[in-house]
Amino acid sequence: MIRQDPVGRVMHSVSRRGVAAWLICLLLSLFYVVLYLGQPWEQPAGPIQRVEAAIWPATAWLEGLSSVLFGWLRDRSGEPMASRWTLYGLLYTLAITLGGLWMWRKYGHNRYQVVRTAVVMTVQITLAFSIPLLLRFLSYPEYYLSYLWPLKIDALDPRNFDAFGPVLVGYGFVAALVAVPVLTILYGKRWYCSWVCGCGGLANTFGEPWRHLSDKSSRAWRVERVTVHATLVVAILCTALWLAAGPAPAGAAGSLADDARRWYGLIVVAVLSGVVGVALYPIAGTRVWCRYFCPMAALLGLIQKLGRFRVRVKKGMCISCGLCSEYCEMGIDVRAYAQEGRSFTRASCVGCGLCSEVCPRGVLQLDNGGAVASGGLSLRSFLARDYAGGD
């Protein structure tokens, strides 16, 4: 009699769209709805406000839990720092850290994955959690240094300039207009999407069990091309509108700029990046937000097509096993390129390097067009070429 492994059955259900996967999807969806949408309106003026007021009791529970955990934490002026966003930042950081440790265990033989994951965890712990918390403690506005425009669209919103101050405002403009294009031309979008961004960091750590679920169909690719670039256009138009309107007071009656802020925050930030972007991991794969809606991914993808980055394919070695395509979280049919022996650059490729890792014959290699000694172990080597197997 064959004994069934209950742990194995549960993991199969989690990673293969079973009952457990749907349950996780439902719980994550409810969490993000409560996190983002609950607001304490006393006299709701419209349908959105009525929905927010109905959700608020559950959101208030998150606020209470945060007060229990962080009630001792106050800034220099004595104001409490506990909020649901402080709690969320802690949970997000724990998810990336614990998921990163699991990635180390799984891919510890691959130095590229080890270093990349270490950078992802370090950036989240410091730039996206500790430093913003420290800024709040010092009575400065929170600023997430690892989130850049157009992903962090309010970085270039004039309404925030006085609060941010000249240093952070300058950082936002220089990062968006100089660092982003230069680094993407040199290293492809992977420098951000797979090494720095918290959205990609969560996908490649906590979301690793679901990366193979991404839709690989040509129809999904056609939808992706429209939706992701449409979101980028909306982000650019909103930013232009806000810059033209200047630092108008929040909530100005009849303000088109303020309406744009409200709707962009609700649809793009709350629904698409939160509810859809993370909650659908167990059902649709880990990069739904990055692939279909992220304006930063769209911008970096356009620049990447003009830069040096590509996936290099060794000719005549592909055995058509399909593992590279199965494990591509961006839904790219990598096998088709490998079968043709054709190196390629795709706007959607985030350079995670897992296609190279799972290839049994070492056919694929991330490359920036430079010649790097295969035995070298340095940050330059990691950025210039993917190491499979640790050589």
Side-chain angles (χ1 to χ4, degrees):
M1 180 177 179
I2 299 176
R3 299 180 62 183
Q4 294 184 341
D5 177 14
V7 176
R9 281 184 293 160
V10 170
M11 289 306 300
H12 185 273
S13 180
V14 168
S15 62
R16 298 291 173 176
R17 299 194 182 100
V19 174
W22 283 98
L23 180 60
I24 294 172
C25 179
L26 175 61
L27 293 175
L28 286 173
S29 298
L30 291 174
F31 172 76
Y32 274 97
V33 166
V34 170
L35 177 74
Y36 275 101
L37 301 185
Q39 296 294 336
W41 296 97
E42 294 183 1
Q43 295 180 336
I48 294 178
Q49 287 80 8
R50 286 194 289 271
V51 170
E52 291 174 336
I55 297 172
W56 172 248
T59 308
W61 185 86
L62 286 181
E63 295 280 355
L65 178 58
S66 179
S67 295
V68 171
L69 295 175
F70 300 104
W72 53 273
L73 193 58
R74 297 177 178 272
D75 63 22
R76 289 195 305 178
S77 64
E79 291 295 319
M81 296 173 58
S83 73
R84 66 184 187 271
W85 300 111
T86 308
L87 175 63
Y88 179 57
L90 176 64
L91 293 175
Y92 203 98
T93 302
L94 285 175
I96 288 181
T97 303
L98 295 177
L101 295 176
W102 185 75
M103 283 284 290
W104 278 351
R105 180 180 178 185
K106 186 176 182 180
Y107 300 113
H109 57 278
N110 188 315
R111 290 181 292 185
Y112 181 84
Q113 297 301 330
V114 169
V115 174
R116 183 176 73 89
T117 304
V119 172
V120 164
M121 291 191 292
T122 302
V123 168
Q124 174 61 34
I125 292 170
T126 57
L127 300 184
F129 182 65
S130 299
I131 290 179
L133 209 60
L134 178 61
L135 288 173
R136 281 187 62 193
F137 174 76
L138 297 175
S139 300
Y140 291 104
E142 280 184 303
Y143 196 98
Y144 298 86
L145 295 169
S146 59
Y147 290 91
L148 310 177
W149 184 92
L151 177 60
K152 181 182 172 61
I153 193 169
D154 61 348
L156 303 190
D157 185 348
R159 196 178 68 178
N160 300 321
F161 288 174
D162 286 342
F164 286 160
V167 174
L168 292 179
V169 171
Y171 172 83
F173 275 93
V174 171
L177 303 179
V178 179
V180 165
V182 169
L183 290 175
T184 306
I185 288 174
L186 293 176
Y187 302 116
K189 67 192 293 184
R190 60 173 168 157
W191 78 268
Y192 189 76
C193 295
S194 287
W195 287 68
V196 174
C197 178
C199 304
L202 189 71
N204 287 160
T205 51
F206 170 76
E208 178 63 21
W210 301 296
R211 67 162 36 247
H212 60 285
L213 299 177
S214 61
D215 191 340
K216 311 299 193 296
S217 67
S218 57
R219 180 176 134 187
W221 176 63
R222 290 193 296 270
V223 170
E224 164 195 334
R225 292 178 67 189
V226 174
T227 56
V228 75
H229 293 107
T231 311
L232 174 61
V233 170
V234 170
I236 292 173
L237 291 177
C238 285
T239 304
L241 175 63
W242 300 342
L243 289 172
S255 168
L256 180 60
D258 208 54
D259 288 342
R261 290 184 183 97
R262 186 179 301 110
W263 284 103
Y264 190 92
L266 174 65
I267 296 174
V268 178
V269 178
V271 175
L272 296 181
S273 74
V275 180
V276 173
V278 178
L280 291 186
Y281 276 11
I283 304 303
T286 56
R287 291 273 188 169
V288 175
W289 159 252
C290 309
R291 183 179 176 185
Y292 293 99
F293 304 111
C294 177
M296 187 71 168
L299 177 63
L300 296 180
L302 294 174
I303 300 173
Q304 176 166 270
K305 296 286 287 185
L306 305 174
R308 294 159 50 92
F309 172 75
R310 65 183 179 273
V311 178
R312 178 177 292 178
V313 176
K314 297 178 183 177
K315 297 180 180 180
M317 294 185 64
C318 177
I319 58 174
S320 300
C321 67
L323 287 174
C324 54
S325 292
E326 179 181 356
Y327 280 86
C328 179
E329 59 188 343
M330 299 303 290
I332 301 171
D333 188 5
V334 182
R335 177 173 60 178
Y337 293 99
Q339 288 173 328
E340 296 178 9
R342 179 159 59 99
S343 300
F344 65 94
T345 302
R346 285 283 294 270
S348 58
C349 177
V350 294
C352 67
L354 263 294
C355 60
S356 174
E357 157 64 21
V358 300
C359 178
R361 303 198 67 192
V363 176
L364 304 163
Q365 189 175 63
L366 305 188
D367 191 272
N368 282 343
V372 180
S374 61
L377 179 59
S378 65
L379 183 58
R380 180 180 178 184
S381 299
F382 285 128
L383 292 174
R385 182 169 298 178
D386 174 45
Y387 283 80
D391 291 330

